Amino acid sequence: MRRLPSKNLPWRPEDEKLSDLMSSYWSNFAKTGDPNRPRLAPWPAYTRESQFPVMHLSADPHAAADEHRARYKFLETLPPHN
């Protein structure tokens, strides 16, 4: 599935692969509410029970611990900006 030609840029094969991967996850999520399907790296839910993993979309897609969680928690403590 080719989705990149909307911009005339020197796309590389890995760009095409990532575009297809993202399209698969988003299509699955739109259809079922779950991005996961066979032949895709599992995308776990971002929950306390799963220790807040984040998905790294690359040539080697994988879920890993959220290295910025403390930063987000801090931002939640700040008063709203008016």
Side-chain angles (χ1 to χ4, degrees), residues 20-44 55 61:
D20 288 345
L21 179 67
M22 299 258 326
S23 294
S24 294
Y25 281 122
W26 279 108
S27 296
N28 293 337
F29 185 76
K31 290 177 196 172
T32 68
D34 181 355
N36 295 296
R37 288 292 171 269
R39 295 187 310 268
L40 292 175
W43 188 322
M55 194 65 181

Side-chain angles (χ1 to χ4, degrees), residues 4-19:
L4 298 175
S6 63
K7 298 281 185 185
N8 188 17
L9 296 170
W11 300 115
R12 301 170 302 174
E14 51 268 39
D15 298 321
E16 302 276 346
K17 183 178 177 183
L18 182 58
S19 175

